[in-house]
Structure formats: structure tokens, C-alpha cells
């Protein structure tokens, strides 16, 4: 029996791991323990995948200092309505903050937290205790910092093989991935990671499990009344806005509502990021006509319903490209877009909200632009949708385990 320890945060990250967990659990030879962090728990529960939360390791990782710090930080950061209870927050925040305090002292730790927020967390001590308790033969994460990164470090400290699955194209500046093997979805990701200082020999182009089902879904969706399923009005066309946990989220919503309201026959669908507080969105759209908030609808069903997607750099945009839908990257942050898909001809970049309406019209009606988009899509990303991401990463996991023998 080989023991595999998955450590995953929520959103698109847990969705990378879910197909792998399901595949490995088909075989009795592999025992999988899954630590679902933050909102990952909701996705795992929906998929009926047994998991552990950070609270399940309370007796392993908590002490008086961690409880004190956790209660203090939860007073500041805990948000009701995200599906995470107060105690869970106290354990997560307290154990993470305790590790910062152990390293640099309490005064300096709070200075770091006030400046960087959760980005200051790198709880290797906490994850070392959990890894020692679980006793895995292999650790698998995605590429999130904090506890995922700390889990990799804990594995390296103990000589346990580690695999990190990169979630996207590698443009964005993140911490250097230290895992023994890094699974990426395409050559663009590989080259970007090498430019960022990663060892080419550690990187394996595997495809992406989360995209494996797109071809099959695109064949099934036309036979389903998706607008009816999600209570969308008949005889209307739709534009989809995918928001992110970003300070510009509200102005993105307001800009999209304003632009779409000026288009005959179109209404707006909003898919909030799972890490956002849905109550904010409800407030932002209150009293607005032709706006449909659908936080629980599967994103690909909403993409299929829509003629166009708007987002900043979320994987929602990339999925839209893979599904053949035009994409606008609405970046109102004042900073360069960390995932410039427009450089590959598969999106249009908008940095001034007053240009959004004209750009939407261009995407919807400019046939030369549509033809160019399709050529660029096939040139750069057509090969990603091969359906073998789960198979390839599962093979990588099994190979890492067999090398131990």
C-alpha cells in the first residue's frame, strides 16, 4: 500500500486534484489522504471525496500560542458566509501565525502580517507536524504558497518525493516551486517557468486534468437546456463576467453592467470567484435589471450559454478560449496583466472601462477578429485539449512511487 498526501486550496486548484484523487482511489494499492484547505472543502464535499480539514489536525498542530494568535487574527479576518466556521479559521490562522512568530518574533511577525497579509505565511513547522503524522510516501500539491508550499518543504526535509501541479501558463510571478517534479499543461508554461529560474529537468508537460472533459462536454451541452436549468430568460443572449478576489471586483461588475445594458438583446451573467463574499455581489447588483448572479452554476455551462467572457486573468478566461468563446481581459488594476493571453491573439485587453462597450461590440461582430482568434487558439492551445492530463499526471505519481522501491 502506497500512501499519497494531497494538500490543496480551493477554486481551480482543488479542481486540478479531484480527477487524480478519483483515479487513484480506483486502485486499492494507493491510499490517498486529502487535506482540503479553505474553500476546497466545499468542492471536495460536492464531489463526495473524503477529506480532512485543518481542524482534524488540531491536536497535532495547536498550542496555547497558536490559539491566542488564531483568535486575534480571526477577529480581523474571519468572514461568515464562506462555508468556513470560526474555529477552522482560528486553527488555520493561529498555526500559520505561530510559525511566523517562531521564526522572527511576535512584533516583527505582526509587522509582516500588516504589510503582506496571508502572503507572510509559510508554515513549514505546522506542515512538518502534519506530514509526520500522516506518514505519506508521496506529497502532491498545486502551486499555491502558504500551506501547499510548506507541505512540499516538509516533504523535502524528510526525503519524501513531491509533485507540484502548476495551474496555468506561468506568466505570473510566484514563489519558485521546489517540488521534485512539476507538472505543467503546455510548452508555454514550461518556458515561462524556466525563464523564472526553474530547473527544466524537473518540469514535465502533462496536460491539465481540469480540461480533460471539455471536448466531451462540448458535445453534450447542446442537448441540454442550460439557460432553463439556470433560470435565465428566454430569447436573450448572454455575456459572462468572471470576477476574482481583487480590489477592482466592484468596479468590474459596475462596468460590465453598464456596458451590457447598452446592448440590444443581451443580458449579463456574473460568476463570482468562490473566495469572494457573495453578499457583496448581491449588494452591487441590487436593483439592476438584466443581471444574473450564478455563483453555484458550473463555469463551463455558463461559458457555453454566453457569447463572450470578461475576466482579468482567471482560468475562467482560459477555459473560454479552449471552448472557442471570445475573451476580454478587463484589467482595471493599474498594473500589467500577469496572464497576458492577448499576446497570443486569443483575447482583447481593456484597461480603460470607457472602452469596454466598443470592445464587446468588436468581439461580437468583427468577423476578421473572430477568424484571427480561432487561428491563434488552434496554434497555441489546440493541443492542450487532448484529454490525457489525468492519465499523464497519474502516471507521473505512480512513477515517483515506483522509484522508491
Amino acid at each position: 500500500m502506497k500512501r499519497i498526501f494531497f494538500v490543496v486550496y480551493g477554486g481551480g486548484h482543488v479542481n486540478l486534484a479531484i480527477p487524480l484523487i478519483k483515479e487513484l482511489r480506483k486502485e486499492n494499492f494507493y491510499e490517498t489522504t486529502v487535506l482540503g484547505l479553505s474553500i476546497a472543502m466545499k468542492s471536495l464535499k460536492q464531489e463526495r471525496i473524503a477529506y480532512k480539514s485543518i481542524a482534524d489536525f488540531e491536536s497535532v498542530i495547536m498550542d496555547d500560542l497558536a490559539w491566542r494568535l488564531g483568535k486575534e487574527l480571526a477577529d480581523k479576518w474571519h468572514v461568515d458566509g464562506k462555508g468556513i466556521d470560526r474555529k477552522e479559521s482560528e486553527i488555520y490562522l493561529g498555526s500559520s501565525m505561530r510559525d511566523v512568530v517562531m521564526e522572527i518574533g511576535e512584533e516583527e511577525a505582526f509587522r509582516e502580517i500588516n504589510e503582506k497579509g496571508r502572503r507572510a505565511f509559510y508554515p513549514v513547522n505546522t506542515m512538518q507536524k502534519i506530514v509526520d503524522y500522516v506518514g505519506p510516501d508521496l506529497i502532491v500539491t498545486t502551486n499555491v504558497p502558504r500551506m501547499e508550499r510548506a507541505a512540499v518543504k516538509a516533504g523535502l526535509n524528510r526525503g519524501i518525493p513531491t509533485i507540484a501541479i502548476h495551474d496555468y501558463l506561468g506568466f505570473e510571478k510566484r514563489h519558485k516551486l521546489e517540488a521534485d517534479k512539476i507538472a505543467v499543461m503546455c510548452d508555454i508554461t514550461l518556458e515561462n517557468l524556466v525563464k523564472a529560474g526553474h530547473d527544466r529537468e524537473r518540469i514535465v508537460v502533462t496536460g491539465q486534468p481540469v480540461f480533460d472533459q471539455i471536448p466531451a462536454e462540448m458535445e453534450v451541452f447542446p442537448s441540454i437546456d442550460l439557460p432553463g436549468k439556470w433560470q435565465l430568460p428566454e430569447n436573450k443572449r448572454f455575456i459572462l463576467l468572471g470576477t476574482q478576489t481583487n480590489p477592482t471586483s466592484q468596479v468590474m461588475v459596475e462596468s460590465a453592467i453598464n456596458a451590457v445594458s447598452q446592448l440590444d438583446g443581451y443580458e449579463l451573467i456574473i460568476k463570482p470567484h468562490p473566495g469572494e463574499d457573495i453578499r457583496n455581489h448581491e449588494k452591487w447588483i441590487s436593483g439592476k435589471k438584466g443581471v444574473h448572479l450564478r455563483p453555484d452554476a458550473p463555469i463551463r455551462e455558463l461559458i457555453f450559454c454566453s457569447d463572450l467572457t470578461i475576466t482579468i486573468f482567471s482560468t475562467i478566461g482560459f477555459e473560454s478560449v479552449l471552448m472557442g468563446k471570445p475573451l476580454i481581459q478587463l484589467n482595471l488594476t493599474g498594473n500589467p496583466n500577469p496572464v497576458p493571453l492577448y499576446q497570443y491573439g486569443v483575447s482583447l485587453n481593456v484597461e480603460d472601462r470607457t472602452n469596454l462597450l466598443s470592445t464587446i461590440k468588436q468581439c461580437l461582430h468583427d468577423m476578421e477578429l473572430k477568424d484571427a482568434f480561432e487561428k491563434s487558439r488552434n496554434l497555441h492551445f489546440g493541443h492542450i485539449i487532448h484529454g490525457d492530463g489525468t492519465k499523464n499526471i497519474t502516471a507521473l505519481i505512480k512513477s515517483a512511487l515506483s522509484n522508491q522501491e
Side-chain angles (χ1 to χ4, degrees), residues 169-195:
L169 293 172
F171 289 107
E172 62 279 16
K173 294 181 179 179
R174 297 181 179 176
H175 65 282
K176 186 176 179 180
L177 299 177
E178 299 175 293
D180 296 306
K181 292 294 181 181
I182 305 166
V184 303
M185 65 181 175
C186 64
D187 290 332
I188 292 173
T189 312
L190 185 154
E191 294 302 329
N192 280 331
L193 292 187
V194 170
K195 289 177 185 177

Side-chain angles (χ1 to χ4, degrees), residues 40 56 102 112 153 155 172-173 195 199 277 288 323 391:
D56 289 312
M102 287 175 58
E112 284 278 298
K153 184 62 174 176
E172 62 279 16
K173 294 181 179 179
K195 289 177 185 177
D199 181 357
D277 188 341
K288 305 293 184 181
M323 292 176 68
K391 180 185 75 175

Side-chain angles (χ1 to χ4, degrees), residues 238-240 266 303 306-311 316-329 341 345-348 359-366 369-371 373-374 377:
F238 304 100
I239 290 173
L240 173 65
Y266 276 92
I303 292 171
S306 306
D307 291 348
L308 166 70
T309 298
I310 303 170
T311 190
I316 286 175
F318 191 70
E319 287 182 278
S320 298
V321 171
L322 296 182
M323 292 176 68
K325 300 288 184 174
L327 172 65
I328 292 175
Q329 292 186 268
L341 291 173
V346 293
S347 74
L348 292 181
T359 307
I360 290 174
K361 290 179 178 178
Q362 184 182 8
C363 282
L364 293 176
H365 305 301
D366 187 333
L369 178 68
K370 288 186 176 183
D371 289 343
F373 161 81
E374 187 61 23
R377 170 180 174 268

Side-chain angles (χ1 to χ4, degrees), residues 102-140:
M102 287 175 58
E103 183 176 356
I104 60 176
E106 189 162 336
E107 182 178 348
E108 183 64 24
F110 272 97
R111 188 177 294 115
E112 284 278 298
I113 287 293
N114 290 333
E115 179 183 341
K116 300 179 181 178
R118 289 174 175 83
R119 289 183 293 116
F121 291 157
Y122 183 33
V124 176
N125 171 67
T126 293
M127 287 307 306
Q128 194 73 73
K129 294 176 185 295
I130 293 174
V131 166
D132 290 345
Y133 181 82
V134 174
D137 298 299
L138 174 70
I139 295 171
V140 181

Side-chain angles (χ1 to χ4, degrees), residues 132-400:
D132 290 345
Y133 181 82
V134 174
D137 298 299
L138 174 70
I139 295 171
V140 181
T141 71
T142 68
N143 58 328
V144 181
R146 305 186 301 279
M147 284 195 170
E148 286 196 22
R149 182 187 181 192
V152 170
K153 184 62 174 176
L156 295 174
N157 289 344
R158 293 290 188 263
I160 301 169
T162 55
I163 294 174
I165 307 167
H166 196 281
D167 65 337
Y168 213 3
L169 293 172
F171 289 107
E172 62 279 16
K173 294 181 179 179
R174 297 181 179 176
H175 65 282
K176 186 176 179 180
L177 299 177
E178 299 175 293
D180 296 306
K181 292 294 181 181
I182 305 166
V184 303
M185 65 181 175
C186 64
D187 290 332
I188 292 173
T189 312
L190 185 154
E191 294 302 329
N192 280 331
L193 292 187
V194 170
K195 289 177 185 177
H198 292 77
D199 181 357
R200 184 183 294 268
E201 296 303 313
R202 292 190 178 195
I203 304 173
V204 183
V205 178
T206 57
Q208 190 74 284
V210 76
F211 300 140
D212 284 352
Q213 297 304 312
I214 286 179
E217 290 172 348
M218 292 294 285
E219 292 182 4
V220 171
F221 285 160
S223 65
I224 304 172
D225 178 17
L226 293 178
K229 177 180 178 181
W230 296 110
Q231 295 81 51
L232 298 170
E234 297 180 0
N235 304 318
K236 293 289 185 181
R237 301 181 76 91
F238 304 100
I239 290 173
L240 173 65
L241 173 67
T243 60
Q244 295 170 241
T245 51
N246 186 282
T248 66
S249 189
Q250 181 176 356
V251 71
M252 284 186 68
V253 170
E254 293 171 351
S255 300
I257 291 174
N258 178 64
V260 175
S261 68
Q262 300 178 64
L263 297 171
D264 290 337
Y266 276 92
E267 295 191 353
L268 180 68
I269 303 172
I270 299 176
K271 173 69 170 178
H273 187 278
E276 291 184 290
D277 188 341
I278 191 66
R279 294 171 298 182
N280 288 331
H281 283 270
E282 292 169 346
K283 179 174 62 177
W284 298 337
I285 71 170
S286 178
K288 305 293 184 181
K289 295 182 179 179
V291 184
H292 310 280
L293 189 63
R294 296 294 181 268
D296 297 323
I299 185 57
R300 290 182 195 154
E301 295 187 11
L302 297 182
I303 292 171
F304 189 83
C305 289
S306 306
D307 291 348
L308 166 70
T309 298
I310 303 170
T311 190
I312 308 177
F313 55 85
S314 168
T315 51
I316 286 175
F318 191 70
E319 287 182 278
S320 298
V321 171
L322 296 182
M323 292 176 68
K325 300 288 184 174
L327 172 65
I328 292 175
Q329 292 186 268
L330 177 60
N331 179 17
L332 305 177
T333 66
N335 300 312
N337 195 314
V339 186
L341 291 173
Y342 49 85
Q343 292 183 0
Y344 295 87
V346 293
S347 74
L348 292 181
N349 185 43
V350 174
E351 297 180 354
D352 183 340
R353 61 188 294 184
T354 62
N355 295 330
L356 181 58
L357 178 59
S358 61
T359 307
I360 290 174
K361 290 179 178 178
Q362 184 182 8
C363 282
L364 293 176
H365 305 301
D366 187 333
M367 294 309 299
E368 289 187 5
L369 178 68
K370 288 186 176 183
D371 289 343
F373 161 81
E374 187 61 23
K375 290 178 182 178
S376 296
R377 170 180 174 268
N378 289 328
L379 173 64
H380 295 297
F381 307 121
H383 67 287
I384 294 176
I385 315 172
H386 49 54
D388 290 335
T390 299
K391 180 185 75 175
N392 290 339
I393 299 180
T394 300
L396 186 64
I397 288 171
K398 292 179 178 180
S399 175

Side-chain angles (χ1 to χ4, degrees), residues 84-103:
I84 303 169
D85 65 29
R86 166 82 187 205
K87 183 178 179 182
E88 189 90 23
S89 290
E90 289 179 2
I91 294 172
Y92 175 82
L93 296 170
S95 59
S96 298
M97 185 62 170
R98 182 263 322 282
D99 286 11
V100 183
V101 170
M102 287 175 58
E103 183 176 356

